[in-house]
Amino acid sequence: QVQLIESGVGLVQAGGSLRLSCAASGRTVSRYAMGWFRHAPGKEREFVAVISRTAATTSYAASVQGRFTISSDNAKNTVYHQMTSLKPEDTAVYSCAASTSWLPLTRILYDYWGQGTQVTVSS
C-alpha cells in the first residue's frame, strides 16, 4: 500500500499561482501513475491531471491545459501540481491519487487517495 499526504493549502487571488505537493510513503511513486482530482461544492469530483509512472507522459483536463503542470520527484517520493493563472472556478478540494494503470483519466481506476487540500481562488 501507499499513503498519500497533500500539502499546500492555499488562498490566492485570481491570476495567481500555487503549488501543491503530494508526499508518498510505503511505496515509491515510480510504481504508480499519479493523478490529481478536484471536488468543488455541488459538483462531481473531476480529473485534473495525471503523470505516468515513468514521468514521461502527462495528461490534463481541457479546463486546466496550459495553466497547470504535474511533475514528480522520485528522490523525494513526491508529486507536484503547479497551478498558474488561477481562476475562481478552480476553487475546490484537490486530492492526489495513485493508480497501477498506465495513464488513468477516471477516478475508478485509482487505488489510493490522499485526504485532500483546499484551494480557494478569490476574484
Side-chain angles (χ1 to χ4, degrees):
Q1 280 194 340
V2 60
Q3 292 78 43
L4 304 173
I5 299 178
E6 302 95 339
S7 60
V9 174
L11 173 62
V12 63
Q13 289 187 331
S17 300
L18 189 65
R19 189 178 79 163
L20 303 181
S21 300
C22 174
S25 61
R27 293 278 179 87
T28 175
V29 295
S30 63
R31 296 172 62 104
Y32 303 95
M34 299 295 297
W36 285 95
F37 286 76
R38 66 186 181 185
H39 192 186
K43 296 184 178 180
E44 295 285 325
R45 181 178 294 186
E46 64 172 344
F47 165 79
V48 178
V50 61
I51 187 167
S52 64
R53 66 176 69 108
T54 64
T57 307
T58 57
S59 183
Y60 298 91
S63 59
V64 306
Q65 182 77 45
R67 298 189 298 124
F68 292 7
T69 303
I70 187 171
S71 61
S72 63
D73 184 336
N74 288 343
K76 296 183 178 180
N77 216 27
T78 299
V79 175
Y80 300 101
H81 188 49
Q82 180 70 47
M83 302 182 289
T84 63
S85 301
L86 283 160
K87 305 174 182 180
E89 51 263 42
D90 294 319
T91 295
V93 174
Y94 284 73
S95 300
C96 67
S99 172
T100 54
S101 299
W102 172 240
L103 203 68
L105 305 183
T106 56
R107 59 186 180 181
I108 196 172
L109 295 176
Y110 285 82
D111 307 291
Y112 306 102
W113 293 82
Q115 81 285 355
T117 187
Q118 178 70 45
V119 172
T120 302
V121 184
S122 62
S123 57

